[in-house]
Amino acid sequence: MNNQLFIEAALRSKLYQKKLKNINLEDWNNIPFTTKKDLRNADTYDMLGVPLHQVAAYHETSGTTGTPTPSWYSRKDIEQGVQIILQSPLQLNENDIVLNRFPFALAIPSFMVYETTQKVGAGHIGADKASMVTPDRRVVEIMERTHPTILALLPSEAEKLYHVGMQMGVRFPTKGLRALLLAGELISPARKKYIEQLWGVPVYGLFGSTETGGLFVTCENGHYHLDNPNVKIEVVDDFGKPVENGEKGNCVISTAREGMPLLRYANQDIVQIVDGSQCSCQKNEPILLHYGRKEDVIQYQNKSITFHELQEAVYTLHKVPFMWKIRVASDRVQFLCQFIESVDEMTISSIKYELTGKLGIDIDVQPTVIIPVEKLTEKPAYAKYAYIERESEVFVK
């Protein structure tokens, strides 16, 4: 798709009619970037690129990093999202049963997966991660009863569910399972390999966001090939200038999505575009390498460490923790880690040595409880409202 078509799509919304007024649109590099602040401050309806009667769905971001950003989708947008999954190596088909663990409240991936299953006639199991009806234990029990062929979920959920299953005596891969579709978090090559080793099936990643919609699905080698004709990806430096081919920089996305087109949207991600012709999957399109958000970069001891580099270090440890997080202070960086089984001081010292060597900074390793293990196998906390209550049920425990 040429630049003019992205410009024409953008000018269907009031947001860009105002933003691009008096801008020379003949010079692509002269077009100002769209920022998260632009989207947060704009009137929700000014973002529409179609008349209201053509809107099929409304979503918005979680708001964890600021004011939620609205996002509109037309029926055509939804169909294009479906095709991104259908045309991927995942090869979702009518014989599949998909357990959809993505959150359903306003999130994009859950609905993309649902719409795709309906398109091809696959079975769908809604197991919303944000619902009290489906805690981890129940999801594993559902898997044991229904034998889904594909799990669709966050990478962290994939890791957690595996350990819940192990606590319950489940063998992996579970019966019938053939693939995991992951989205919502960074998946470095080491993390992909780690999750594949846990579950014993291939992992596919879905790249996108609430603002942009789903953009790409990885090939079998874990690469995001730039094969979406409705998307343009640019990489620019901190001054907004295009970087040389193969260099890291800031991600800028243009989409011709009908419901809410985006023109030169600087999403605060760090990316790199490299040659894709040598990928053994036989695709020739360039590959997008994702290094995480700029806000997740660790600045310490005169070093900058991306979230991608952090994951590569953690998921190549000789003993990967069940749960982990990084705590950054002015005088130290702590690696908080939790293991299902107890670990000795020698193991903790070894992890400290490994991380310090891999990341090139001093790391303080602190074993802790991030999620109480007993909570992993709790029964559902939600129950229907009872209109009739028996006296014996009130007083007898």
Side-chain angles (χ1 to χ4, degrees):
M1 182 178 287
N2 63 44
N3 292 344
Q4 186 58 35
L5 294 177
F6 288 109
I7 294 170
E8 291 173 1
L11 288 174
R12 296 189 187 104
S13 79
K14 290 182 179 178
L15 169 68
Y16 285 107
Q17 290 169 13
K18 297 174 183 176
K19 185 177 179 65
L20 301 180
K21 189 177 182 180
N22 301 322
I23 298 294
N24 176 17
L25 301 180
E26 297 297 320
D27 181 0
W28 177 264
N29 291 323
N30 187 52
I31 297 174
F33 297 119
T34 301
T35 65
K36 288 183 181 288
K37 184 177 180 181
D38 289 333
L39 301 184
R40 289 167 178 163
N41 291 343
D43 183 277
T44 301
Y45 281 88
D46 281 356
M47 296 183 181
L48 273 171
V50 292
L52 190 57
H53 71 270
Q54 292 184 24
V55 169
Y58 172 84
H59 299 271
E60 62 180 39
T61 58
S62 62
T64 53
T65 58
T67 304
T69 299
S71 195
W72 299 97
Y73 290 78
S74 70
R75 172 47 59 184
K76 182 178 178 182
D77 296 333
I78 291 174
E79 178 60 29
Q80 287 178 343
V82 165
Q83 291 304 315
I84 289 168
I85 296 177
L86 285 185
Q87 294 170 10
S88 75
L90 180 64
Q91 297 183 333
L92 195 154
N93 61 76
E94 62 183 2
N95 297 313
D96 281 313
I97 298 176
V98 181
L99 189 145
N100 189 352
R101 182 66 168 156
F102 289 123
F104 274 80
L106 295 176
I108 291 295
S110 55
F111 291 94
M112 282 185 67
V113 169
Y114 173 74
E115 293 279 355
T116 306
T117 61
Q118 302 310 289
K119 177 75 173 180
V120 298
H124 179 271
I125 303 170
D128 183 354
K129 82 172 277 289
S131 171
M132 290 189 295
V133 179
T134 48
D136 298 317
R137 176 192 179 95
R138 185 165 189 181
V139 174
V140 174
E141 291 172 344
I142 291 170
M143 289 171 58
E144 288 285 272
R145 286 192 287 269
T146 61
H147 313 305
T149 58
I150 297 173
L151 298 186
L153 67 176
L154 296 164
S156 55
E157 283 292 303
E159 295 172 27
K160 185 154 60 81
L161 273 181
Y162 168 81
H163 287 287
V164 173
M166 291 293 288
Q167 293 287 303
M168 296 170 63
V170 174
R171 295 177 63 88
F172 294 90
T174 52
K175 183 178 178 180
L177 188 68
R178 69 174 185 84
L180 269 59
L181 177 64
L182 307 182
E185 298 170 3
L186 183 70
I187 313 167
S188 76
R191 190 180 198 185
K192 175 181 182 291
K193 182 179 180 180
Y194 173 74
I195 295 174
E196 287 178 334
Q197 289 174 339
L198 293 182
W199 285 88
V201 296
V203 162
Y204 296 90
L206 171 63
F207 180 77
S209 67
T210 302
E211 302 97 319
T212 64
L215 302 178
F216 311 102
V217 175
T218 55
C219 68
E220 50 265 39
N221 296 318
H223 296 145
Y224 292 112
H225 287 272
L226 302 183
D227 56 1
N228 188 333
N230 300 304
V231 177
K232 178 183 176 72
I233 303 288
E234 301 173 76
V235 185
V236 302
D237 62 22
D238 289 339
F239 300 99
K241 303 298 182 184
V243 302
E244 295 292 330
N245 288 337
E247 287 189 9
K248 287 183 188 177
N250 303 296
C251 184
V252 176
I253 302 174
S254 297
T255 73
R257 188 155 59 82
E258 283 187 340
M260 197 181 90
L262 289 172
L263 194 62
R264 307 200 79 199
Y265 172 51
N267 70 348
Q268 296 295 301
D269 281 357
I270 303 169
V271 297
Q272 180 183 17
I273 296 177
V274 299
D275 177 42
S277 62
Q278 302 304 310
C279 183
S280 62
C281 77
Q282 305 303 313
K283 285 190 173 185
N284 293 315
E285 295 91 351
I287 291 170
L288 178 73
L289 301 179
H290 186 210
Y291 292 93
R293 294 176 174 174
K294 291 186 73 173
E295 64 187 21
D296 290 331
V297 173
I298 297 172
Q299 304 284 357
Y300 187 71
Q301 294 179 343
N302 298 317
K303 288 206 65 169
S304 294
I305 301 169
T306 66
F307 194 36
H308 179 281
E309 292 167 325
L310 180 60
Q311 283 194 9
E312 287 292 284
V314 171
Y315 290 102
T316 53
L317 289 171
H318 81 284
K319 191 172 185 62
V320 179
F322 155 60
M323 297 287 288
W324 63 273
K325 63 173 63 176
I326 290 286
R327 180 179 291 161
V328 182
S330 58
D331 60 342
R332 64 177 176 172
V333 174
Q334 277 188 309
F335 180 69
L336 307 180
C337 54
Q338 178 180 357
F339 295 89
I340 295 293
E341 69 286 349
S342 60
V343 293
D344 55 24
E345 283 298 324
M346 185 176 294
T347 299
I348 298 303
S349 296
S350 177
I351 291 173
K352 175 180 174 65
Y353 176 79
E354 287 182 79
L355 288 179
T356 298
K358 292 172 187 287
L359 299 175
I361 60 173
D362 294 330
I363 299 287
D364 176 25
V365 178
Q366 181 65 51
T368 188
V369 175
I370 297 174
I371 296 180
V373 174
E374 60 271 15
K375 282 188 171 292
L376 296 177
T377 53
E378 283 184 350
K379 292 188 175 181
Y382 171 84
K384 288 184 178 180
Y385 179 77
Y387 286 92
I388 299 175
E389 196 173 72
R390 308 295 180 185
E391 187 175 24
S392 60
E393 295 172 344
V394 176
F395 296 105
V396 178
K397 299 295 183 182

